[in-house]
Each structure stands twice: as C-alpha cells, then as structure tokens.
Amino acid sequence: MPSNKDDGGWKKFLWDSEKGELLGRTGGSWFKIFLFYVIFYGCLAGVFVGTIQALLLTLSNYKPTWQDRVAPPGLTHTPRSDKAEVAFNLNDVETYLPYTKALRDFLAKYDDENQRDQMKFEDCGEEPADYKNRGDLESDVGVRKACRFSRTLLGPCSGIEDRDFGFKDGKPCLIVKLNRIVNFRPRPPTSNESIPEEAQPKVQPNVIPLFCTNKKEEDAGKIGEIKYHGISGGFPLQYYPYYGKLLHPQYLQPLVALQFTNLTLNTELRIECKVFGDNIDYSDKDRYQGRFDIKIQINSL
C-alpha cells in the first residue's frame, strides 16, 4: 500500500489533473517563466552582440590595432632547424639533402615565371632606393602591387645553376630575410656609433645592412670569407612597407644569400648575423630579434 501512495504522489506531481498543473505549475505560470527567461537571455545576447560589434568598429581590417608585443623585426634564415644548427658530411649527400630541399622549396615562389603578371608585380630596380609608397592602409587604392625579386640576384646561391647551393663543395649558402610586419619601415643607421667597425663599410643609403661574424672569440679566423648576395648585400627600402595579406597578397620579401666560402672543416663554428638600423633593437630573450646565431659544422671524414 505505501508503494501505491508513493506512485500516486509522483504521478500527481508530474500531472495534477484536478488543478491542471504540470510539475507543480499551471500553464499560465509556465508561460510567464518561459517569457521571463526569453527576455532575460535575449537581453544578455543583445549586450554580448552589441559589445562585440562595438569592438569590431575599433579594429582595422588591414593593420593590428596593437603591435606592442612585437619587437620589430625578426631576422630568420633558411634552412632552419630546431637547434639552429647546420651539420653535414661532404662525402654523404643524404646529410645535406634536407638543407638543399628546404632552400629549393623556399625559393620556388621567387621563380621568374611566378612574377610575370603585370597587374600584380612591378620592377623596383636592382639598386637600393627609397620606400615605395603605395598609399595609406585605409585608402581606397585596394590591392597593391609587389616588387619583383629575381632569384638571379642571389648569384651562386640562387639554386639555378648549382642545385646543391654550395653544400657539395663545402661552401654552403643560407638565405636570410626580415620577417614581415605590417606598415613597418626599417630605418637605415644614421651613424656608426652602434655598429662594429668591421661592419661599417656595409652602411649605405636606402639599405638595411646585414653583417655576420664569429660568435665566439676562439672561432676568430676559422670562419673565412662570407659572401653576401642580393641587392647591395642587405635589405633595400623600396620593398617596404608591407601592406598585409589583404592588400599585399603577392608580396615578396627581399632576400640576402650568405655563402660561407672557407669554413674550417671538422669544427663546430658559431656564427652570428645582425641587421643594423635606427629602429632595430635586440633582445637577450629573443635570439631572432634583429639577429640570429647558428652553428655550422662541415665534416670531411
């Protein structure tokens, strides 16, 4: 008998036919509470959507609103490994094959046949020139043309004649670039005060100079000659500023090819490369901010 009463109590709670209540509430009570939550959550959704819309009105489609977390510019190289190390054996093609493949893949977009479209590319000269002004970011100019950069400018490091980029002969190449930053205009150094004496001859108008040397004192004299291939061995200003992916989809960064022509064999060498400019800084916390260092070891045994 008690179980029957309990069963009847649950059934009555679910639906009370005498009072017309479902789960203890009448139809009118359910309608009022449903209406309340519809209005309540509708207002919350309206506030949320309004806040997002107000935020979007303050953002530009073409340039990040805040760039204070990006310390310009980053300097990177190809080929690149996790340990910033290039090591190979002259007598074993397999040891340097990944490096040459990385260089070929990277330079593929710089092939001349990919830069022939007159609507997307223009010639900007093979000598350093001033910034190429293509209008403001927010102007109605639309998509901007990109400067051509021919692989032939990289000389023996272009991969056109030497598919091994010097690795086979113990004269490896590195391709160096400045990372893209929207609307950033690198400024060449105006004085030699902060530039090492050996790098001062590379300073010239309208180009950001690049200079590499031994990182460790004990490696002095073991690096040999480093050849710089590109436009004046640096980063010419006519390739700046960069207008972003929407306005500058075909943009090609200027490149500098480094060729190490006389490295001491069977020795681990630490090499540091830096770019110099009035608005280029370095950080001990970021080894690629305005510079990088790399270990190179060529084995012949």
Side-chain angles (χ1 to χ4, degrees):
M1 295 296 292
S3 60
N4 292 337
K5 288 183 178 180
D6 290 343
D7 291 342
W10 276 106
K11 290 179 180 179
K12 193 170 185 179
F13 173 73
L14 292 174
W15 171 248
D16 190 338
S17 57
E18 296 178 0
K19 297 180 180 180
E21 293 179 346
L22 178 65
L23 297 177
R25 290 182 179 275
T26 63
S29 177
W30 277 115
F31 175 77
K32 291 176 182 178
I33 197 169
F34 176 76
L35 181 63
F36 168 79
Y37 280 110
V38 167
I39 296 174
F40 176 72
Y41 286 112
C43 291
L44 285 181
V47 170
F48 177 76
V49 172
T51 303
I52 296 299
Q53 289 298 324
L55 176 63
L56 291 176
L57 291 175
T58 67
L59 301 179
S60 169
N61 290 327
Y62 309 110
K63 179 184 177 182
T65 303
W66 303 107
Q67 291 180 293
D68 55 331
R69 291 189 178 184
V70 179
L75 185 70
T76 56
H77 57 84
T78 301
R80 183 176 176 181
S81 63
D82 293 336
K83 296 181 179 180
E85 180 178 350
V86 172
F88 63 96
N89 192 308
L90 286 175
N91 303 314
D92 187 354
V93 176
E94 295 296 326
T95 60
Y96 58 79
L97 190 61
Y99 302 132
T100 56
K101 182 181 184 303
L103 286 164
R104 283 194 293 271
D105 292 344
F106 175 76
L107 289 173
K109 59 180 173 290
Y110 286 86
D111 288 338
D112 288 343
E113 56 264 29
N114 295 330
Q115 305 179 50
R116 289 176 181 163
D117 193 332
Q118 299 291 337
M119 300 299 293
K120 297 178 180 179
F121 295 95
E122 61 180 327
D123 290 325
C124 298
E126 295 185 2
E127 295 295 329
D130 204 357
Y131 304 110
K132 193 77 172 179
N133 187 8
R134 296 181 172 86
D136 297 330
L137 284 173
E138 304 290 347
S139 67
D140 57 358
V141 176
V143 175
R144 320 299 161 94
K145 288 185 177 181
C147 287
R148 292 185 175 93
F149 190 95
S150 175
R151 289 177 62 169
T152 58
L153 294 169
L154 303 179
C157 293
S158 66
I160 297 174
E161 295 182 3
D162 180 8
R163 296 283 289 174
D164 293 318
F165 296 91
F167 280 81
K168 182 179 180 180
D169 301 319
K171 300 178 180 180
C173 293
L174 290 182
I175 306 297
V176 183
K177 65 182 177 68
L178 280 174
N179 289 346
R180 302 178 183 185
I181 298 178
V182 176
N183 211 33
F184 175 64
R185 288 171 168 82
R187 296 196 301 269
T190 53
S191 71
N192 289 335
E193 294 180 2
S194 61
I195 302 176
E197 184 177 352
E198 60 270 24
Q200 291 177 9
K202 296 184 67 64
V203 177
Q204 56 184 300
N206 297 324
V207 67
I208 302 298
L210 171 70
F211 182 73
C212 302
T213 188
N214 53 289
K215 176 77 171 177
K216 296 180 178 179
E217 294 269 344
E218 57 266 30
D219 289 338
K222 298 179 182 179
I223 304 299
E225 183 185 12
I226 302 175
K227 292 185 177 180
Y228 301 79
H229 301 283
I231 299 180
S232 295
F235 303 100
L237 300 187
Q238 65 259 39
Y239 286 83
Y240 302 94
Y242 167 55
Y243 286 85
K245 290 183 178 180
L246 289 178
L247 298 179
H248 229 162
Q250 310 299 327
Y251 178 76
L252 294 174
Q253 293 148 284
L255 305 175
V256 177
L258 306 175
Q259 186 168 31
F260 303 94
T261 61
N262 193 24
L263 293 174
T264 301
L265 300 180
N266 306 310
T267 304
E268 182 181 275
L269 303 171
R270 191 83 172 263
I271 299 169
E272 181 180 61
C273 297
K274 279 187 176 183
V275 285
F276 299 93
D278 283 354
N279 57 347
I280 295 176
D281 299 314
Y282 315 103
S283 172
D284 293 334
K285 297 180 180 179
D286 185 353
R287 64 182 181 181
Y288 287 103
Q289 183 181 324
R291 64 182 176 185
F292 67 81
D293 63 82
I294 184 171
K295 294 185 218 175
I296 302 181
Q297 181 170 349
I298 305 176
N299 297 315
S300 60
L301 304 177

